[in-house]
PDB file of all heavy atoms in Angstrom:
ATOM      1  N   ARG A 176     -66.696  46.250   1.297  1.00 97.00           N
ATOM      2  CA  ARG A 176     -65.924  45.806   0.154  1.00 97.00           C
ATOM      3  C   ARG A 176     -65.421  44.402   0.433  1.00 97.00           C
ATOM      4  O   ARG A 176     -65.199  44.013   1.586  1.00 97.00           O
ATOM      5  CB  ARG A 176     -64.823  46.744  -0.225  1.00 97.00           C
ATOM      6  CG  ARG A 176     -65.237  48.200  -0.489  1.00 97.00           C
ATOM      7  CD  ARG A 176     -64.114  49.052  -0.967  1.00 97.00           C
ATOM      8  NE  ARG A 176     -63.036  49.080   0.025  1.00 97.00           N
ATOM      9  CZ  ARG A 176     -62.973  49.888   1.078  1.00 97.00           C
ATOM     10  NH1 ARG A 176     -63.999  50.735   1.261  1.00 97.00           N
ATOM     11  NH2 ARG A 176     -61.986  49.852   1.915  1.00 97.00           N
ATOM     12  N   PRO A 177     -65.181  43.587  -0.649  1.00 97.00           N
ATOM     13  CA  PRO A 177     -64.692  42.195  -0.443  1.00 97.00           C
ATOM     14  C   PRO A 177     -63.426  42.147   0.438  1.00 97.00           C
ATOM     15  O   PRO A 177     -63.311  41.262   1.253  1.00 97.00           O
ATOM     16  CB  PRO A 177     -64.399  41.685  -1.827  1.00 97.00           C
ATOM     17  CG  PRO A 177     -65.352  42.479  -2.711  1.00 97.00           C
ATOM     18  CD  PRO A 177     -65.426  43.845  -2.059  1.00 97.00           C
ATOM     19  N   GLU A 178     -62.543  43.076   0.284  1.00 95.00           N
ATOM     20  CA  GLU A 178     -61.264  43.063   1.022  1.00 95.00           C
ATOM     21  C   GLU A 178     -61.453  43.352   2.474  1.00 95.00           C
ATOM     22  O   GLU A 178     -60.489  43.303   3.264  1.00 95.00           O
ATOM     23  CB  GLU A 178     -60.285  43.999   0.417  1.00 95.00           C
ATOM     24  CG  GLU A 178     -60.598  45.485   0.425  1.00 95.00           C
ATOM     25  CD  GLU A 178     -61.395  45.981  -0.752  1.00 95.00           C
ATOM     26  OE1 GLU A 178     -62.003  45.116  -1.470  1.00 95.00           O
ATOM     27  OE2 GLU A 178     -61.364  47.137  -1.022  1.00 95.00           O
ATOM     28  N   GLN A 179     -62.680  43.720   2.919  1.00 97.00           N
ATOM     29  CA  GLN A 179     -62.955  43.950   4.323  1.00 97.00           C
ATOM     30  C   GLN A 179     -63.630  42.731   4.982  1.00 97.00           C
ATOM     31  O   GLN A 179     -63.947  42.824   6.129  1.00 97.00           O
ATOM     32  CB  GLN A 179     -63.943  45.150   4.464  1.00 97.00           C
ATOM     33  CG  GLN A 179     -63.219  46.489   4.010  1.00 97.00           C
ATOM     34  CD  GLN A 179     -64.258  47.674   4.082  1.00 97.00           C
ATOM     35  OE1 GLN A 179     -65.252  47.627   3.394  1.00 97.00           O
ATOM     36  NE2 GLN A 179     -63.966  48.613   4.954  1.00 97.00           N
ATOM     37  N   VAL A 180     -63.735  41.656   4.197  1.00 98.00           N
ATOM     38  CA  VAL A 180     -64.405  40.452   4.712  1.00 98.00           C
ATOM     39  C   VAL A 180     -63.537  39.231   4.613  1.00 98.00           C
ATOM     40  O   VAL A 180     -62.849  39.078   3.582  1.00 98.00           O
ATOM     41  CB  VAL A 180     -65.744  40.252   3.902  1.00 98.00           C
ATOM     42  CG1 VAL A 180     -66.386  38.950   4.366  1.00 98.00           C
ATOM     43  CG2 VAL A 180     -66.674  41.430   4.001  1.00 98.00           C
ATOM     44  N   VAL A 181     -63.543  38.419   5.652  1.00 98.00           N
ATOM     45  CA  VAL A 181     -62.893  37.126   5.582  1.00 98.00           C
ATOM     46  C   VAL A 181     -63.926  36.016   5.651  1.00 98.00           C
ATOM     47  O   VAL A 181     -64.839  36.052   6.537  1.00 98.00           O
ATOM     48  CB  VAL A 181     -61.812  36.930   6.674  1.00 98.00           C
ATOM     49  CG1 VAL A 181     -62.441  37.113   8.062  1.00 98.00           C
ATOM     50  CG2 VAL A 181     -61.184  35.526   6.570  1.00 98.00           C
ATOM     51  N   HIS A 182     -63.925  35.069   4.723  1.00 98.00           N
ATOM     52  CA  HIS A 182     -64.834  33.934   4.792  1.00 98.00           C
ATOM     53  C   HIS A 182     -64.143  32.677   5.305  1.00 98.00           C
ATOM     54  O   HIS A 182     -62.991  32.417   4.860  1.00 98.00           O
ATOM     55  CB  HIS A 182     -65.436  33.649   3.455  1.00 98.00           C
ATOM     56  CG  HIS A 182     -66.414  32.515   3.467  1.00 98.00           C
ATOM     57  ND1 HIS A 182     -67.608  32.583   4.076  1.00 98.00           N
ATOM     58  CD2 HIS A 182     -66.359  31.281   2.901  1.00 98.00           C
ATOM     59  CE1 HIS A 182     -68.248  31.460   4.010  1.00 98.00           C
ATOM     60  NE2 HIS A 182     -67.495  30.603   3.253  1.00 98.00           N
ATOM     61  N   ILE A 183     -64.808  31.950   6.188  1.00 98.00           N
ATOM     62  CA  ILE A 183     -64.171  30.794   6.892  1.00 98.00           C
ATOM     63  C   ILE A 183     -65.052  29.589   6.658  1.00 98.00           C
ATOM     64  O   ILE A 183     -66.227  29.575   6.968  1.00 98.00           O
ATOM     65  CB  ILE A 183     -64.031  31.114   8.370  1.00 98.00           C
ATOM     66  CG1 ILE A 183     -63.215  32.390   8.531  1.00 98.00           C
ATOM     67  CG2 ILE A 183     -63.450  29.969   9.100  1.00 98.00           C
ATOM     68  CD1 ILE A 183     -63.419  33.128   9.907  1.00 98.00           C
ATOM     69  N   GLY A 184     -64.428  28.520   5.994  1.00 97.00           N
ATOM     70  CA  GLY A 184     -65.246  27.346   5.803  1.00 97.00           C
ATOM     71  C   GLY A 184     -64.377  26.138   5.469  1.00 97.00           C
ATOM     72  O   GLY A 184     -63.188  26.239   5.259  1.00 97.00           O
ATOM     73  N   ASP A 185     -65.017  24.964   5.372  1.00 95.00           N
ATOM     74  CA  ASP A 185     -64.306  23.710   5.246  1.00 95.00           C
ATOM     75  C   ASP A 185     -64.184  23.251   3.814  1.00 95.00           C
ATOM     76  O   ASP A 185     -63.404  22.379   3.500  1.00 95.00           O
ATOM     77  CB  ASP A 185     -65.059  22.592   6.037  1.00 95.00           C
ATOM     78  CG  ASP A 185     -66.403  22.196   5.402  1.00 95.00           C
ATOM     79  OD1 ASP A 185     -67.312  22.997   5.389  1.00 95.00           O
ATOM     80  OD2 ASP A 185     -66.431  21.045   4.851  1.00 95.00           O
ATOM     81  N   HIS A 186     -64.962  23.799   2.880  1.00 94.00           N
ATOM     82  CA  HIS A 186     -64.961  23.255   1.540  1.00 94.00           C
ATOM     83  C   HIS A 186     -63.995  24.041   0.634  1.00 94.00           C
ATOM     84  O   HIS A 186     -64.143  25.314   0.500  1.00 94.00           O
ATOM     85  CB  HIS A 186     -66.410  23.327   0.962  1.00 94.00           C
ATOM     86  CG  HIS A 186     -66.580  22.371  -0.165  1.00 94.00           C
ATOM     87  ND1 HIS A 186     -66.086  22.672  -1.463  1.00 94.00           N
ATOM     88  CD2 HIS A 186     -67.262  21.217  -0.252  1.00 94.00           C
ATOM     89  CE1 HIS A 186     -66.436  21.693  -2.269  1.00 94.00           C
ATOM     90  NE2 HIS A 186     -67.140  20.788  -1.589  1.00 94.00           N
ATOM     91  N   PRO A 187     -63.055  23.359  -0.033  1.00 93.00           N
ATOM     92  CA  PRO A 187     -62.051  24.048  -0.830  1.00 93.00           C
ATOM     93  C   PRO A 187     -62.619  24.827  -2.048  1.00 93.00           C
ATOM     94  O   PRO A 187     -62.092  25.811  -2.417  1.00 93.00           O
ATOM     95  CB  PRO A 187     -61.108  22.966  -1.285  1.00 93.00           C
ATOM     96  CG  PRO A 187     -61.845  21.693  -1.081  1.00 93.00           C
ATOM     97  CD  PRO A 187     -62.804  21.939   0.040  1.00 93.00           C
ATOM     98  N   ILE A 188     -63.777  24.328  -2.564  1.00 93.00           N
ATOM     99  CA  ILE A 188     -64.417  25.022  -3.680  1.00 93.00           C
ATOM    100  C   ILE A 188     -65.518  25.982  -3.257  1.00 93.00           C
ATOM    101  O   ILE A 188     -65.492  27.157  -3.564  1.00 93.00           O
ATOM    102  CB  ILE A 188     -64.953  23.995  -4.697  1.00 93.00           C
ATOM    103  CG1 ILE A 188     -63.848  23.073  -5.205  1.00 93.00           C
ATOM    104  CG2 ILE A 188     -65.621  24.671  -5.890  1.00 93.00           C
ATOM    105  CD1 ILE A 188     -62.748  23.763  -5.880  1.00 93.00           C
ATOM    106  N   ASN A 189     -66.519  25.403  -2.561  1.00 96.00           N
ATOM    107  CA  ASN A 189     -67.662  26.183  -2.154  1.00 96.00           C
ATOM    108  C   ASN A 189     -67.373  27.288  -1.201  1.00 96.00           C
ATOM    109  O   ASN A 189     -68.101  28.316  -1.156  1.00 96.00           O
ATOM    110  CB  ASN A 189     -68.763  25.254  -1.548  1.00 96.00           C
ATOM    111  CG  ASN A 189     -69.248  24.243  -2.481  1.00 96.00           C
ATOM    112  OD1 ASN A 189     -69.110  24.352  -3.684  1.00 96.00           O
ATOM    113  ND2 ASN A 189     -69.922  23.198  -1.989  1.00 96.00           N
TER     114      ASN A 189
END
Side-chain angles (χ1 to χ4, degrees):
R176 300 185 302 278
E178 64 269 22
Q179 294 177 298
V180 177
V181 56
H182 181 67
I183 302 161
D185 72 292
H186 200 286
I188 302 298
N189 295 343

